[in-house]
C-alpha cells in the first residue's frame, strides 16, 4: 500500500490521504431485487478474494437505504454456507474477536451508531488465496415521487461524512480514511410484481429491454446492462397504473414464534393517500415564514454529475433560490442561511417579502460560494429555532445539503424537539447524500424529503416541496380501527403528525386475538384542515396475502425499533428497559438495530495466525472524492482548515496524475485536470489557456424569472425582449392601445411560459400564479384582443382561459 498526500511545511501528513492499494479483497457484487407493489427485497452477494500471502481481515464500509430492514446475512466459503444470527452488539463483537484471534473465519455486520444508513462488514481471517461470498438481504419501502413513480435506490457512493470536532469516532468517521476507483464489478437483476399493471420502468443507468412475464403486465423483469461502472447510485423508477390508490396488505405470522409476540400475530400495512377537499386546495396559503438553509461547505463545489452541461452543486442551488424567491407570496416573511464550519444569515431575523428585500436577497445569492468549510448543520438550526416566530405566519424550513455529516442523530433529535413550531423540507443534493439525514429531518419535522441526483434538475423537485409548504397544516389527526369481534389492534408506527395531498402515509399494526366472524376491517383517518373536518376511510380484507416472505413483519419491527430508539434518545426514564426491548425485537424478527449485530463464525476452520492480521479497508466512493481532496486543501477546505501553497498543491497533483494513470478512466483524468487547473489557475497555466471551458448555455426560463418583480409583473424593456428573441421596438409596436407597458410585458411572459415552456410548468407555476393575480388586480378591460396579439407576436396558440386571467 502506497500513500500519497499533502505535506505541511513540517512534513506532517495532511488529513486527506489517497490510498492506492495493489490488492483489494472485494472483487464483485451481484444484486437481485424483487419489487412487490411498493416494497423491495434486495439480496446482495459480495465476493471476496484474499490475493495476499498471509491471512487477511477486510473492512468494508458501505451505505444502505436509511429505513431498510437488514434481515439476512450469510457467508459461503467453498461449498460451506454459514448463516449469521442476530445477537447483542457487544456479545457479537466479543465472539468475532475471539474467533479471529483463534484463527477461525468470522463475519460481523453492524449498523453505525451515528447514522442508520451506514454499515460496516468485517471479514475476518481469510487465508491466502481463499474466496468468500457474503450475502446480505434487506427489505425497504419505495418512496413515491412527484411523477407518481416509486423510487428504488441502490447506494453506490458513500461520501466522507463531516464529523464535528470533539465528537466520538465511530463507523462514520472511518469513511474518509481512504478512497480509490471502484475496483469491483456489479451485476443487477430486478423482478417486479404488483396487483396493478406495470406501465414502465426507468433508470438513471442503462438497462436491458423490459420483459413482461404475464399478459396483464403485472410481472416483469429487467437487468442492468453489462459494463456498468458502479460509480454512482443506481436508481430505478417503477410506474404502475393507478399508483395513488389506498391499499392494505395483511401478512400471516409464524406459528412457532412465542404467543403474543410480533412475529406470531398477523401484521397489516396500510397505505393511505389523503385526498383534500378541492375548495381547500384551490387557494394555497399566502402567509408563512420561509427559511432557506443552504449548505455552503467545500463539497458543494463538486459537480452535480459528470455529464455534459453539469453545474456545480452550489450553482444549481443558487438557481433554485432564485426561483424560490420569485415564487413567494407578497407579504410573507423569509430569510436565507448559509452554513459550513460556521453560519451566516442574510438578515438578522426574517423580513417581510417585498421588492426591496427580494432585491437585497438576490444580490447576496449571486455572491454565494462553497467557501464555508465543513458541514456543521446543527448550530444554524439551533439559531433558527430560538428566533421569534411570527403570528399567523407558520414557519417552513427548507434545507439544502449534500448530507455529509457524522452527527445525524443529534440533528434529528433537535428537529424533532421543535416539530411543534415548524415544518421541515429537506433536499439531498448529489451522489452519496445521507438518506438518514435527509429523510429523517423531513420525518421529524413533519415535512417532505427530496433527492436530487445524477442529471436531475433541482428546480422541479424543490417546487413540488414548496407546493407542500404552501398547503395548510393538517391538525388533530386520529386513526380509528373497526374490526370483527375478537380482534384487537396495536399500532406499531409512530403517531401520524403530517399529511400532504396525494402523498402516501404508511401505518403498521399488529392484529391480536381470533376473529369470531367477519373478514373485513376498516381504518378511518380523521383530521382538520383549515378548521374543516375531513375523513378518509379504507376497507380491507383480513385474509393474509400470500408470498410476502415476512417482509411486512420485518418492516414493522424496524419501524418499532426506530421509534424505541427515538424514545430512548429523548430522555426516557427506563433506558435499559427500552434497550432490552429493542434487542428482543431485533433478535426475534432477525433485523438489524443499533444495539445488535449479525455474527457468523466458521467453527470448522482454524489456522495458525502469527502476529496481527493484515487489514484492508474497502469503501464505496466515487472519483469526486479525489477532486474534493484538491478543493479541500485549496482555500475552501471541507473537512479541516489545512491550507497549502499552490506550489505544494501542484506537486501533489502531478504525483496524483501519475498514480491515477493506470486505474482512472481518461474521461475522469481530464475532468480532474480541468478542475485542478481552475482551482490553481494563476493566469500562467498554458493548458488552461489552450483548453478554455465552453460558455454555459443560457437558461431562458431562469432569465425570464429573474426579471419578474416581487408583485408578479414584468417591465417592458430590451432585456425581456431578448428572452423572447425580439427587440424592444417589436414588443412596443405590437402593444394594444388599451394596456400599459407592464401589463403587456406580463401578459407576454405568461403566453411565453405556457406556449414555449409548458413541459417545465412545475417550475414556474407559482411565478405564473403571481403574474395572473397581478394582471387581475389591474382591472384591465377585455384581454382577449391582447392575448391574440401576444400569440401572433410570440408564435404561440394560448387561450385566455389557459392563462388563468
Amino acid at each position: 500500500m502506497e500513500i500519497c498526500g499533502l505535506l505541511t511545511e513540517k512534513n506532517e501528513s495532511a488529513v486527506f490521504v489517497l490510498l492506492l492499494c495493489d490488492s483489494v479483497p472485494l472483487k464483485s457484487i451481484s444484486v437481485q431485487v424483487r419489487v412487490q407493489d411498493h416494497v423491495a427485497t434486495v439480496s446482495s452477494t459480495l465476493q471476496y478474494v484474499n490475493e495476499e500471502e498471509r491471512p487477511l481481515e477486510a473492512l468494508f464500509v458501505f451505505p444502505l437505504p436509511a429505513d431498510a430492514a437488514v434481515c439476512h446475512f450469510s457467508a459461503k466459503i467453498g461449498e460451506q454456507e454459514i448463516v449469521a444470527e442476530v445477537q447483542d452488539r457487544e456479545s457479537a463483537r466479543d465472539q468475532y474477536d475471539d474467533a479471529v484471534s483463534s484463527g477461525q473465519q468470522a463475519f460481523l455486520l453492524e449498523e453505525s451508531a451515528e447514522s442508520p444508513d451506514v454499515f460496516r462488514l468485517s471479514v475476518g481471517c481469510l487465508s491466502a488465496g481463499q474466496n468468500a461470498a457474503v450475502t446480505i438481504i434487506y427489505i425497504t419501502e419505495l418512496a413515491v415521487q412527484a411523477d407518481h413513480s416509486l423510487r428504488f435506490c441502490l447506494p453506490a457512493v458513500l461520501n466522507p461524512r463531516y464529523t464535528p470536532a470533539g465528537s466520538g469516532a465511530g463507523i462514520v468517521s472511518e469513511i474518509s480514511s481512504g478512497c480509490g476507483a471502484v475496483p469491483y464489478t456489479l451485476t443487477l437483476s430486478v423482478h417486479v410484481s404488483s396487483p396493478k399493471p406495470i406501465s414502465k420502468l426507468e433508470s438513471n443507468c442503462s438497462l436491458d429491454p423490459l420483459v413482461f412475464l404475464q399478459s396483464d403486465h403485472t410481472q416483469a423483469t429487467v437487468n442492468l446492462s453489462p459494463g456498468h461502472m458502479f460509480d454512482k447510485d443506481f436508481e430505478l423508477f417503477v410506474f404502475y397504473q393507478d399508483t395513488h390508490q389506498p391499499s392494505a396488505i395483511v401478512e400471516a405470522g409464524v406459528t412457532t414464534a412465542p404467543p403474543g409476540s410480533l412475529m406470531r400475530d398477523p401484521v397489516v400495512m396500510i397505505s393511505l393517500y389523503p385526498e383534500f377537499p378541492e375548495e381547500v386546495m384551490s387557494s394555497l396559503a399566502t402567509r408563512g415564514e420561509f427559511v432557506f438553509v443552504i449548505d455552503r461547505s467545500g463539497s458543494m463545489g463538486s459537480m452535480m454529475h459528470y455529464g455534459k452541461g453539469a453545474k456545480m452543486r452550489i450553482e444549481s442551488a443558487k438557481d433554485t433560490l432564485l426561483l424560490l424567491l420569485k415564487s413567494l407570496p407578497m407579504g410573507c416573511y423569509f430569510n436565507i442561511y448559509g452554513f459550513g464550519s460556521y453560519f451566516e444569515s442574510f438578515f438578522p431575523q426574517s423580513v417581510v417579502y417585498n421588492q426591496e428585500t427580494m432585491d437585497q436577497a438576490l444580490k447576496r445569492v449571486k455572491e454565494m460560494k462553497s467557501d464555508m468549510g465543513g458541514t456543521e448543520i446543527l448550530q444554524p438550526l439551533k439559531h433558527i429555532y430560538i428566533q421569534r416566530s411570527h403570528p399567523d405566519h407558520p414557519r417552513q424550513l427548507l434545507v439544502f445539503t449534500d448530507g455529509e455529516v457524522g452527527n445525524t442523530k443529534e440533528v434529528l433529535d433537535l428537529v424533532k424537539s421543535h416539530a411543534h413550531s415548524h415544518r421541515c423540507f429537506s433536499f439531498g443534493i448529489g451522489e452519496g447524500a445521507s438518506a438518514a439525514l435527509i429523510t429523517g429531518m423531513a420525518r421529524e419535522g413533519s415535512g417532505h424529503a427530496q433527492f436530487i441526483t445524477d442529471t436531475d434538475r433541482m428546480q422541479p423537485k424543490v417546487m413540488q416541496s414548496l407546493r407542500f409548504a404552501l398547503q395548510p397544516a393538517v391538525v388533530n389527526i386520529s386513526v380509528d380501527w373497526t374490526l370483527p369481534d375478537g380482534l384487537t389492534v396495536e399500532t406499531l408506527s409512530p403517531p401520524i403528525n403530517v399529511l400532504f395531498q396525494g402523498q402516501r402515509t404508511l401505518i403498521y399494526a399488529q392484529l391480536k386475538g381470533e376473529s369470531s366472524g367477519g373478514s373485513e376491517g376498516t381504518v378511518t383517518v380523521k383530521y382538520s384542515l383549515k378548521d374543516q373536518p375531513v375523513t378518509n376511510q379504507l376497507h380491507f380484507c383480513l385474509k393474509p396475502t400470500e408470498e410476502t416472505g415476512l417482509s411486512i413483519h420485518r418492516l414493522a419491527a424496524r419501524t418499532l425499533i426506530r421509534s424505541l430508539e427515538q424514545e430512548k434518545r429523548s430522555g426516557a426514564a427506563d433506558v435499559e428497559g427500552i434497550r432490552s426491548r429493542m434487542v428482543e425485537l431485533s433478535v426475534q424478527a432477525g433485523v438489524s438495530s443499533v444495539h445488535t449485530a449479525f455474527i457468523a463464525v466458521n467453527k470448522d476452520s482454524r489456522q495458525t495466525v502469527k502476529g496481527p492480521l493484515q487489514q484492508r479497508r474497502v469503501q464505496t466512493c466515487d472519483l469526486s472524492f479525489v477532486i474534493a481532496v484538491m478543493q479541500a486543501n485549496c482555500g475552501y477546505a471541507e473537512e479541516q482548515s489545512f491550507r497549502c501553497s499552490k506550489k505544494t498543491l501542484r506537486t501533489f497533483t502531478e504525483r496524483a496524475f501519475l498514480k491515477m494513470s493506470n486505474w482512472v478512466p481518461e474521461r475522469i483524468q481530464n475532468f480532474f485536470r480541468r478542475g485542478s487547473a481552475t482551482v490553481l489557475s494563476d493566469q500562467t497555466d498554458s493548458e488552461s489557456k489552450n483548453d478554455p471551458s465552453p460558455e454555459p448555455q443560457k437558461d431562458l426560463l431562469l432569465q425570464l424569472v429573474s426579471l419578474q418583480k416581487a408583485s408578479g409583473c414584468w417591465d417592458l424593456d430590451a432585456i425581456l425582449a431578448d428572452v423572447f428573441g425580439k427587440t424592444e421596438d417589436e414588443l412596443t409596436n405590437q402593444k394594444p392601445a388599451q394596456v400599459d407597458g407592464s401589463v403587456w410585458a406580463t401578459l407576454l411572459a405568461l403566453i411565453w411560459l405556457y406556449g414555449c415552456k409548458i413541459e417545465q410548468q412545475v417550475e414556474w407555476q407559482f411565478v405564473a400564479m403571481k403574474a395572473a393575480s397581478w394582471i387581475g388586480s389591474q382591472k384591465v378591460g377585455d384581454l382577449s384582443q391582447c392575448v391574440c396579439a401576444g400569440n401572433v407576436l410570440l408564435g404561440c396558440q394560448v387561450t385566455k382561459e389557459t392563462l388563468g386571467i
Side-chain angles (χ1 to χ4, degrees):
M1 177 183 297
E2 296 184 62
I3 300 178
C4 294
L6 295 175
L7 302 180
T8 65
E9 293 180 357
K10 298 180 180 180
N11 289 329
E12 297 170 343
S13 179
V15 171
F16 280 126
V17 293
L18 178 63
L19 302 181
L20 306 177
C21 302
D22 295 326
S23 173
V24 181
L26 181 63
K27 291 300 178 183
S28 66
I29 300 178
S30 175
V31 182
Q32 290 80 44
V33 183
R34 183 173 181 83
V35 177
Q36 293 176 286
D37 207 1
H38 51 252
V39 173
T41 301
V42 185
S43 176
S44 299
T45 299
L46 296 80
Q47 188 75 38
Y48 287 89
V49 181
N50 181 7
E51 296 181 346
E52 303 194 21
E53 297 178 354
R54 58 171 299 155
L56 175 74
E57 179 181 21
L59 303 178
F60 182 51
V61 182
F62 60 97
L64 286 180
D67 294 323
V70 179
C71 59
H72 174 90
F73 176 49
S74 62
K76 187 173 183 180
I77 303 170
E79 297 301 316
Q80 183 179 13
E81 184 177 18
I82 313 156
V83 178
E85 60 182 30
V86 182
Q87 294 184 7
D88 181 277
R89 186 182 188 119
E90 297 306 318
S91 174
R93 284 179 171 178
D94 290 342
Q95 188 175 342
Y96 174 83
D97 291 340
D98 290 344
V100 171
S101 63
S102 64
Q104 293 177 322
Q105 290 153 349
F107 306 84
L108 181 70
L109 179 69
E110 52 187 323
E111 176 186 315
S112 165
E114 301 140 301
S115 187
D117 61 343
V118 180
F119 281 74
R120 180 174 69 180
L121 172 60
S122 301
V123 180
C125 217
L126 279 183
S127 27
Q130 192 166 49
N131 292 272
V134 174
T135 298
I136 300 168
I137 300 178
Y138 66 85
I139 306 165
T140 186
E141 303 152 354
L142 302 184
V144 181
Q145 304 300 294
D147 58 4
H148 308 304
S149 67
L150 298 174
R151 175 181 181 261
F152 167 74
C153 178
L154 182 68
V157 180
L158 186 54
N159 287 343
R161 301 289 170 88
Y162 182 82
T163 305
S167 60
I171 294 177
V172 170
S173 65
E174 296 179 8
I175 297 169
S176 58
S177 58
C179 181
V182 178
Y184 41 83
T185 60
L186 168 71
T187 59
L188 185 144
S189 63
V190 182
H191 181 279
V192 183
S193 62
S194 172
K196 298 180 282 288
I198 302 160
S199 300
K200 60 180 177 178
L201 300 183
E202 293 181 351
S203 176
N204 65 329
C205 301
S206 179
L207 299 175
D208 288 345
L210 178 67
V211 177
F212 286 105
L213 304 180
Q214 302 285 345
S215 59
D216 59 2
H217 286 197
T218 56
Q219 292 191 44
T221 62
V222 71
N223 295 324
L224 184 64
S225 297
H228 173 72
M229 291 296 296
F230 199 22
D231 56 354
K232 63 181 178 181
D233 294 352
F234 168 78
E235 291 181 293
L236 181 72
F237 299 93
V238 182
F239 292 81
Y240 297 129
Q241 294 181 20
D242 302 322
T243 303
H244 281 35
Q245 294 296 319
S247 63
I249 299 176
V250 178
E251 183 177 76
V254 181
T255 56
T256 56
S261 68
L262 172 63
M263 300 306 291
R264 176 70 173 261
D265 293 330
V267 168
V268 59
M269 180 177 73
I270 303 289
S271 301
L272 297 175
Y273 294 89
E275 291 297 330
F276 295 170
E278 187 174 343
E279 60 270 21
V280 174
M281 294 306 299
S282 61
S283 59
L284 295 175
T286 57
R287 294 181 177 271
E289 178 193 6
F290 299 89
V291 182
F292 306 107
V293 184
I294 312 298
D295 189 341
R296 289 178 52 185
S297 62
S299 59
M300 288 290 287
S302 301
M303 308 303 288
M304 289 292 296
H305 60 90
Y306 295 126
K308 185 178 180 181
K311 287 187 174 183
M312 288 194 297
R313 297 174 184 178
I314 188 65
E315 293 301 322
S316 185
K318 288 163 63 174
D319 288 346
T320 304
L321 269 179
L322 163 67
L323 196 56
L324 282 167
L325 285 171
K326 296 291 184 174
S327 300
L328 292 181
M330 286 289 285
C332 71
Y333 286 79
F334 80 102
N335 203 350
I336 299 176
Y337 283 73
F339 73 92
S341 297
Y342 58 98
F343 69 90
E344 61 183 25
S345 60
F346 283 15
F347 307 101
Q349 58 187 25
S350 294
V351 296
V352 175
Y353 176 78
N354 54 38
Q355 187 65 44
E356 180 183 0
T357 55
M358 185 192 75
D359 287 342
Q360 292 175 16
L362 287 173
K363 182 180 179 181
R364 302 245 346 230
V365 166
K366 291 179 181 178
E367 299 169 352
M368 288 173 56
K369 297 178 181 179
S370 53
D371 57 358
M372 294 181 70
T375 314
E376 296 197 38
I377 194 173
L378 196 64
Q379 294 308 315
L381 290 179
K382 287 181 176 179
H383 184 268
I384 291 167
Y385 289 144
I386 63 173
Q387 297 298 305
R388 178 180 63 87
S389 59
H390 298 271
D392 300 324
H393 288 274
R395 180 172 290 165
Q396 316 291 335
L397 191 65
L398 289 86
V399 180
F400 299 79
T401 178
D402 52 16
E404 302 173 6
V405 301
N407 56 342
T408 300
K409 292 183 179 179
E410 192 176 358
V411 172
L412 300 188
D413 289 344
L414 177 66
V415 174
K416 183 177 179 65
S417 67
H418 291 84
H420 63 282
S421 64
H422 81 301
R423 289 191 293 187
C424 182
F425 299 84
S426 50
F427 305 90
I429 302 172
E431 301 288 349
S434 168
L437 178 73
I438 305 305
T439 60
M441 290 184 70
R443 181 181 62 247
E444 305 300 353
S446 302
H448 187 258
Q450 297 272 22
F451 289 88
I452 299 102
T453 59
D454 199 39
T455 57
D456 288 348
R457 276 177 63 88
M458 189 182 299
Q459 289 85 352
K461 295 191 174 185
V462 172
M463 299 314 291
Q464 183 203 27
S465 290
L466 179 61
R467 173 170 284 275
F468 289 154
L470 289 169
Q471 288 183 18
V474 173
V475 297
N476 303 323
I477 304 172
S478 66
V479 179
D480 298 316
W481 299 81
T482 303
L483 299 170
D485 291 341
L487 277 182
T488 60
V489 65
E490 179 182 344
T491 303
L492 306 174
S493 303
I496 300 175
N497 56 14
V498 59
L499 290 172
F500 291 114
Q501 164 77 10
Q503 283 296 296
R504 185 185 63 197
T505 296
L506 291 178
I507 304 174
Y508 292 97
Q510 181 178 352
L511 302 177
K512 297 183 176 183
E514 296 289 339
S515 173
S516 58
S519 59
E520 188 177 86
T522 303
V523 60
T524 304
V525 180
K526 299 179 180 179
Y527 49 90
S528 296
L529 188 64
K530 297 188 74 172
D531 299 325
Q532 179 178 340
V534 183
T535 299
N536 295 145
Q537 196 170 72
L538 172 67
H539 301 279
F540 62 94
C541 178
L542 291 169
K543 182 181 179 181
T545 305
E546 298 179 357
E547 297 183 1
T548 51
L550 292 178
S551 59
I552 306 303
H553 277 75
R554 286 168 173 148
L555 285 171
R558 186 64 161 162
T559 298
L560 186 52
I561 288 170
R562 287 277 188 256
S563 297
L564 289 170
E565 184 180 353
Q566 177 65 48
E567 183 182 348
K568 176 173 172 285
R569 295 203 312 271
S570 299
D574 187 14
V575 173
E576 191 53 42
I578 293 175
R579 184 187 186 281
S580 298
R581 172 67 173 143
M582 290 172 64
V583 172
E584 179 186 23
L585 268 171
S586 178
V587 172
Q588 283 185 2
V591 298
S592 58
S593 78
V594 70
H595 295 303
T596 56
F598 283 89
I599 176 70
V601 177
N602 182 6
K603 296 183 179 179
D604 295 335
S605 68
R606 190 176 297 276
Q607 55 187 308
T608 302
V609 179
K610 296 181 180 179
L613 287 172
Q614 291 288 326
Q615 288 194 343
R616 292 292 180 265
R617 184 166 291 146
V618 188
Q619 291 151 337
T620 53
C621 179
D622 68 350
L623 268 293
S624 64
F625 179 83
V626 180
I627 298 167
V629 173
M630 308 296 297
Q631 296 173 336
N633 292 282
C634 191
Y636 49 106
E638 158 65 3
E639 304 296 332
Q640 33 78 36
S641 59
F642 178 81
R643 299 291 185 270
C644 65
S645 68
K646 291 181 179 180
K647 180 179 179 181
T648 303
L649 193 51
R650 282 198 180 91
T651 301
F652 168 74
T653 307
E654 291 166 1
R655 294 174 63 190
F657 286 156
L658 289 174
K659 291 294 181 182
M660 290 166 64
S661 60
N662 293 325
W663 50 270
V664 178
E666 184 177 356
R667 173 177 62 87
I668 301 299
Q669 291 187 46
N670 292 336
F671 178 84
F672 188 92
R673 287 189 172 92
R674 287 197 299 271
S676 61
T678 300
V679 169
L680 299 175
S681 176
D682 56 3
Q683 306 305 317
T684 61
D685 191 317
S686 59
E687 180 178 356
S688 64
K689 289 181 179 179
N690 296 331
D691 185 25
S693 299
E695 285 292 325
Q697 190 173 2
K698 288 184 179 180
D699 189 324
L700 292 179
L701 173 59
L702 288 178
Q703 192 173 339
L704 176 75
V705 170
S706 70
L707 299 174
Q708 188 185 35
K709 303 293 185 181
S711 62
C713 70
W714 276 266
D715 287 336
L716 186 62
D717 56 25
I719 304 177
L720 179 66
D722 185 58
V723 173
F724 303 145
K726 306 290 182 180
T727 66
E728 185 177 2
D729 286 343
E730 287 179 291
L731 265 58
T732 303
N733 294 337
Q734 296 297 320
K735 182 180 75 67
Q738 70 267 34
V739 297
D740 68 15
S742 292
V743 172
W744 177 235
T746 305
L747 192 61
L748 288 176
L750 276 177
I751 293 172
W752 186 83
L753 287 172
Y754 281 99
C756 303
K757 294 294 179 180
I758 190 64
E759 74 281 357
Q760 293 176 245
Q761 184 175 6
V762 69
E763 300 183 37
W764 51 259
Q765 56 185 318
F766 297 113
V767 167
M769 286 171 60
K770 287 174 66 174
S773 177
W774 181 85
I775 291 177
S777 70
Q778 300 307 298
K779 295 183 172 53
V780 183
D782 184 10
L783 288 170
S784 299
Q785 180 185 350
C786 300
V787 173
C788 289
N791 278 323
V792 171
L793 178 63
L794 299 179
C796 299
Q797 295 180 338
V798 180
T799 65
K800 174 185 171 185
E801 291 70 28
T802 299
L803 300 179
I805 54 177

